[in-house]
Amino acid sequence: MDPISVIRSRTVVMPSTNIDTDQIIPARFLTTTTREGLGAALFADLRNGPDSTPRPEFVLNRPESRGCRILVAGRNIGCGSSREHAPWALLDYGFQAVVSSEIADIFRSNSLKNGLLPVVVDESTHQWLLANPGVEVEIDLPSSTLRLPGGRDVEFPIEPFARYCLLNGVDELGYLLGQAEAISAYESRRA
């Protein structure tokens, strides 16, 4: 995983509520066990018509969405099945963070373990972000704050261990491997 500290980006807004993991990455794309290439299938059924032609009105197909690294989604993103491919697809597309007033628990956990920052904000901040697509914001992971235009900071919750892993670009296994020397020393004392 790449370490995350500060993310500055314009936002892409998908205001729909209950965006489930099958909408994020349809089941027909789950045949791979690698993370590469899934960005092309991100929101495939919403982005493309039945003949796979891109729908120009879909937000990710608009020129102003290119290069944005923060997705602002409607309430309850990531509900549905527990597929890990959903955060993989978002990351492969180029997103580094997902912001909403509610993020499904398993999706949030999968995101944290794969380097995608889930940011839960209060309802009034969420409504403001939904109403202002394309606004430039800054997410500061060390201080757990989302900075809005005008300098207003909004704190968001994140577990300390998850923050540590994201800041250092390691998953749980990477963290444990980084403790190998201390583990060996402990085991030697116990033997």
Side-chain angles (χ1 to χ4, degrees):
M1 296 187 328
D2 293 327
I4 297 174
S5 180
V6 175
I7 304 168
R8 284 182 200 91
S9 176
R10 290 176 295 110
T11 61
V12 170
V13 172
M14 289 188 61
S16 303
T17 59
N18 302 316
I19 298 172
D20 66 34
T21 53
D22 193 52
Q23 290 172 311
I24 296 170
I25 182 84
R28 67 185 177 278
F29 298 105
L30 304 183
T31 57
T32 182
T33 56
T34 64
R35 302 170 189 205
E36 295 79 31
L38 291 175
L42 180 67
F43 297 113
D45 292 341
L46 301 171
R47 282 171 65 189
N48 304 316
D51 62 351
S52 298
T53 303
R55 291 183 170 121
E57 71 279 4
F58 186 71
V59 67
L60 294 185
N61 293 335
R62 296 184 199 149
E64 63 269 20
S65 296
R66 289 193 190 105
C68 293
R69 297 180 293 149
I70 299 172
L71 174 66
V72 176
R75 187 184 57 76
N76 196 27
I77 184 169
C79 55
S81 67
S82 61
R83 60 185 66 159
E84 197 170 21
H85 292 72
W88 290 357
L90 287 159
L91 284 163
D92 191 58
Y93 185 81
F95 288 114
Q96 291 181 294
V98 174
V99 179
S100 183
S101 59
E102 183 181 335
I103 298 175
D105 287 341
I106 294 173
F107 175 75
R108 181 181 45 76
S109 178
N110 283 339
S111 294
L112 288 168
K113 292 176 182 182
N114 286 284
L116 180 69
L117 179 58
V119 176
V120 176
V121 296
D122 62 272
E123 190 60 38
S124 65
T125 300
H126 186 229
Q127 290 304 314
W128 187 89
L129 288 166
L130 290 172
N132 292 280
V135 68
E136 177 119 1
V137 299
E138 177 180 288
I139 300 172
D140 185 296
L141 182 57
S143 66
S144 302
T145 57
L146 168 69
R147 176 162 286 158
L148 300 173
R152 183 176 142 223
D153 287 344
V154 177
E155 291 187 22
F156 60 89
I158 185 165
E159 302 151 351
F161 180 68
R163 180 188 301 127
Y164 173 88
C165 289
L166 290 171
L167 285 168
N168 291 283
V170 296
D171 59 10
E172 293 167 344
L173 183 57
Y175 172 80
L176 288 173
L177 290 172
Q179 305 300 312
E181 192 174 304
I183 293 168
S184 292
Y186 174 79
E187 292 297 328
S188 295
R189 288 191 306 271
R190 288 192 61 217

